[in-house]
Amino acid sequence: MRHSKSIRLRVMRDDVIAFGPGKAALLLAISQHGSISAAARALAMSYRRAWLLVEEMNASFREPLVATATGGANGGGAHITALAQAMLMRYAHMSAKAEAAIAPDMAYFESLMVITGEADPD
Amino acid sequence: MRHSKSIRLRVMRDDVIAFGPGKAALLLAISQHGSISAAARALAMSYRRAWLLVEEMNASFREPLVATATGGANGGGAHITALAQAMLMRYAHMSAKAEAAIAPDMAYFESLMVITGEADPD
């Protein structure tokens, strides 16, 4: 549990996070739920925010990561592209490699930590 | 430049970031400027925020990372402890190892990115 958020990898494009933990989670949710709005609901994120993140991703890479189907307003659904699927796998692989690389150092930091459940000093 | 913020390593203690990029920067600024208030100014951070981060660090580890000298109100200055110095070095080392581990994957992502200066698609 303690390790779950120890590493956050971001692919930056100037000041924009082109790809990172939030965008990876959104892609996964779109692939599971079939639309941007359903994905946003699943992540407790506003539709506006989810749409913005999709726009940032699609503008950052040479091919789109999310494709929206035509249909009525908000009615067409969305899916992630083959490129997005490849990126998700690569991102998970990269995160696992980084976690492995830092494991001994994390153990050092944790050995110095107050154990949860001990009284904190005021 | 693009790489400068690609990795953010956090040592978590439950939901609190016990040590991470912001706290490392604050420790460095305290060591350079000799007080929490001067460090906060140098980082364009409120004194209240800097003080909170110091409290979180000192409460998370078995020994304090920042020691404040006695003196008038806010008058005594602060310094980082030997443990904090050791942690800063270890954190930099850990970050460098993680960067090296992910370099090939980052190159993959960057190869797919729109080059800065190209027109963004609307």
Side-chain angles (χ1 to χ4, degrees):
Chain A
M1 293 300 177
R2 180 175 280 170
H3 289 90
S4 61
K5 292 192 251 170
S6 62
I7 196 159
R8 296 176 73 81
L9 298 175
R10 299 168 166 183
V11 180
M12 301 299 295
R13 179 171 172 252
D14 300 320
D15 292 335
V16 174
I17 301 172
F19 203 88
K23 288 182 166 98
L26 179 59
L27 286 179
L28 202 61
I30 291 170
S31 77
Q32 288 168 340
H33 297 282
S35 75
I36 296 174
S37 57
R41 272 196 302 277
L43 296 172
M45 179 188 287
S46 71
Y47 175 74
R48 181 184 146 73
R49 169 95 182 131
W51 185 86
L52 177 70
L53 293 177
V54 166
E55 285 290 297
E56 280 180 356
M57 279 189 278
N58 281 352
S60 292
F61 294 99
R62 293 178 178 278
E63 296 172 32
L65 303 192
V66 175
T68 49
T70 50
N74 297 329
H79 65 274
I80 71 173
T81 63
L83 175 64
Q85 289 173 21
M87 281 182 151
L88 276 178
M89 291 188 61
R90 189 84 182 227
Y91 186 77
H93 176 69
M94 174 169 78
S95 298
K97 277 202 295 186
E99 290 280 2
I102 68 172
D105 297 301
M106 279 289 171
Y108 160 82
F109 284 108
E110 293 185 0
S111 74
L112 296 169
M113 252 192 259
V114 173
I115 307 290
T116 300
E118 287 181 19
D120 280 5
D122 277 355
Chain B
M1 290 301 179
R2 180 175 283 170
H3 288 91
S4 62
K5 291 191 248 169
S6 62
I7 195 160
R8 296 176 73 82
L9 299 174
R10 300 168 164 182
V11 180
M12 300 300 295
R13 178 171 172 251
D14 301 318
D15 292 334
V16 174
I17 303 171
F19 203 88
K23 288 182 166 99
L26 179 58
L27 286 179
L28 203 60
I30 292 170
S31 77
Q32 288 169 339
H33 296 281
S35 74
I36 295 173
S37 57
R41 271 196 302 278
L43 296 172
M45 177 187 288
S46 71
Y47 176 73
R48 180 183 146 73
R49 169 95 183 133
W51 186 86
L52 177 71
L53 293 177
V54 166
E55 286 290 296
E56 281 179 355
M57 279 189 276
N58 282 352
S60 292
F61 294 99
R62 295 178 179 280
E63 297 172 32
L65 303 192
V66 175
T68 48
T70 49
N74 295 330
H79 66 273
I80 71 172
T81 63
L83 176 63
Q85 289 174 22
M87 281 183 154
L88 275 178
M89 288 187 62
R90 188 85 180 226
Y91 186 77
H93 177 67
M94 174 169 77
S95 299
K97 277 201 296 187
E99 292 278 2
I102 67 173
D105 298 300
M106 279 289 171
Y108 161 82
F109 283 107
E110 294 186 359
S111 74
L112 297 167
M113 252 192 259
V114 173
I115 306 291
T116 301
E118 286 181 20
D120 281 4
D122 276 355

